[in-house]
C-alpha cells in the first residue's frame, strides 16, 4: 500500500522539490542583477527597465503555459522552465564591464525575459501537481511534509535574495555559477523521475 502511495506521490515530491530549488534561483537572479547594476553605477530607473520584460513575460507565459501543459504535460513545461532559467543565468555571464549603458540594459533585459518565462513555466507544475494527488494520498505524512515546504516558498525566495547578495560579495561569476548549479540539481529529477503523460 505504501509503495503504491509513494509511487503516486513521487511526481508531487519531484515537482515540489524542483519548484523549491527554482524559487531560490528566482530570488537570487533579481538580487544579482540589481546589485551588480548598482555596483556599475546604473540609476534606479535604468535598473527598473532591466526588469520590465521579466515581469511582462509572465503575463504571456501564463496563457501559453496552460496550453503547453495541457498539450505536452507538466514534465515538458517544468523541463522548459528549468532549461530557460539556465539559459538566463548563462546569458548573464556575457554582461561585459566595457559595454555602454544602452547595450548593457538591452542585453540584461532580454536575459531576464527568459527568467520571467522560466518562472511561470515552473510555477505551473508546482500549482497543477497538487490537484493530481488523491484525497487518500493527501493524508500521508510525505504529502503533508512537502506541502509544508511548499508553503515556505516565499521564505525560500528570501533565501535566494540572501544567497545572491552574499555570493556577489565573493564575485559575480561565483554567484551565477552557484545558482546554475542549483537549477542543474533539479534537472535530473524532473527528466528521469517524471512521466510524459503527467498532467
Amino acid at each position: 500500500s505504501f509503495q503504491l502511495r509513494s509511487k503516486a506521490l513521487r511526481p508531487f515530491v519531484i515537482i515540489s522539490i524542483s519548484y523549491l530549488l527554482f524559487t531560490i534561483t528566482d530570488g537570487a537572479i533579481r538580487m544579482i542583477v540589481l546589485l551588480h547594476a548598482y555596483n556599475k553605477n546604473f540609476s534606479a530607473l535604468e535598473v527598473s527597465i532591466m526588469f520590465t520584460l521579466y515581469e511582462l513575460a509572465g503575463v504571456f507565459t501564463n496563457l501559453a503555459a496552460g496550453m503547453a501543459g495541457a498539450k505536452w504535460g507538466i514534465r515538458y513545461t517544468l523541463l522548459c522552465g528549468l532549461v530557460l532559467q539556465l539559459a538566463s543565468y548563462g546569458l548573464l555571464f556575457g554582461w561585459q564591464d566595457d559595454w555602454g549603458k544602452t547595450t548593457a540594459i538591452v542585453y540584461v533585459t532580454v536575459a531576464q525575459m527568459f527568467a520571467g518565462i522560466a518562472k511561470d513555466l515552473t510555477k505551473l507544475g508546482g500549482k497543477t501537481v497538487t490537484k493530481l494527488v488523491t484525497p487518500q494520498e493527501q493524508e500521508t505524512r510525505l504529502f503533508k511534509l512537502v506541502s509544508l515546504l511548499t508553503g515556505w516558498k516565499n521564505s525560500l525566495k528570501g533565501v535566494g535574495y540572501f544567497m545572491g547578495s552574499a555570493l556577489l560579495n565573493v564575485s559575480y561569476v561565483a554567484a551565477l555559477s552557484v545558482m546554475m548549479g542549483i537549477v542543474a540539481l533539479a534537472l535530473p529529477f524532473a527528466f528521469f523521475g517524471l512521466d510524459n503523460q503527467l498532467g
Side-chain angles (χ1 to χ4, degrees):
S1 169
F2 179 74
Q3 275 196 319
L4 280 173
R5 281 179 173 181
S6 61
K7 191 180 176 189
L9 279 169
R10 192 174 75 164
F12 171 73
V13 174
I14 289 171
I15 290 172
S16 298
I17 289 170
S18 300
Y19 183 43
L20 292 172
L21 289 171
F22 178 91
T23 300
I24 293 170
T25 69
D26 182 48
I29 201 167
R30 301 182 206 191
M31 290 308 284
I32 292 167
V33 168
L34 178 75
L35 295 173
H36 194 55
Y38 174 78
N39 291 339
K40 288 174 177 285
N41 299 315
F42 283 83
S43 71
L45 180 64
E46 287 163 343
V47 174
S48 68
I49 292 167
M50 291 176 180
F51 286 89
T52 48
L53 285 183
Y54 172 91
E55 298 300 341
L56 271 176
V59 179
F60 298 105
T61 310
N62 261 328
L63 297 168
M67 292 187 284
K71 190 170 182 182
W72 293 300
I74 297 172
R75 179 177 181 262
Y76 176 83
T77 54
L78 180 63
L79 286 170
C80 283
L82 294 171
V83 168
L84 280 172
Q85 186 78 337
L86 280 177
S88 183
Y89 269 107
L91 284 169
L92 287 174
F93 275 104
W95 187 357
Q96 302 297 318
D97 289 339
D98 56 358
W99 282 354
K101 279 196 169 182
T102 308
T103 308
I105 290 167
V106 171
Y107 184 86
V108 175
T109 305
V110 172
Q112 291 243 92
M113 176 187 73
F114 292 113
I117 296 168
K119 180 185 71 170
D120 282 285
L121 285 172
T122 312
K123 192 162 49 172
L124 176 80
K127 282 181 176 176
T128 311
V129 75
T130 314
K131 298 170 190 166
L132 304 176
V133 181
T134 66
Q136 289 84 3
E137 289 155 5
Q138 287 178 11
E139 292 307 308
T140 61
R141 200 178 291 173
L142 183 62
F143 178 85
K144 288 174 180 170
L145 174 67
V146 177
S147 297
L148 180 72
L149 285 173
T150 310
W152 293 347
K153 181 177 74 73
N154 288 335
S155 307
L156 281 171
K157 195 164 277 185
V159 169
Y161 291 152
F162 173 77
M163 284 180 71
S165 311
L167 287 163
L168 197 59
N169 282 329
V170 178
S171 81
Y172 177 64
V173 169
L176 296 179
S177 302
V178 170
M179 289 303 141
M180 282 186 86
I182 291 174
V183 180
L185 203 62
L187 267 171
F189 292 104
F191 190 82
F192 296 110
L194 296 176
D195 193 321
N196 276 333
Q197 268 63 57
L198 192 66

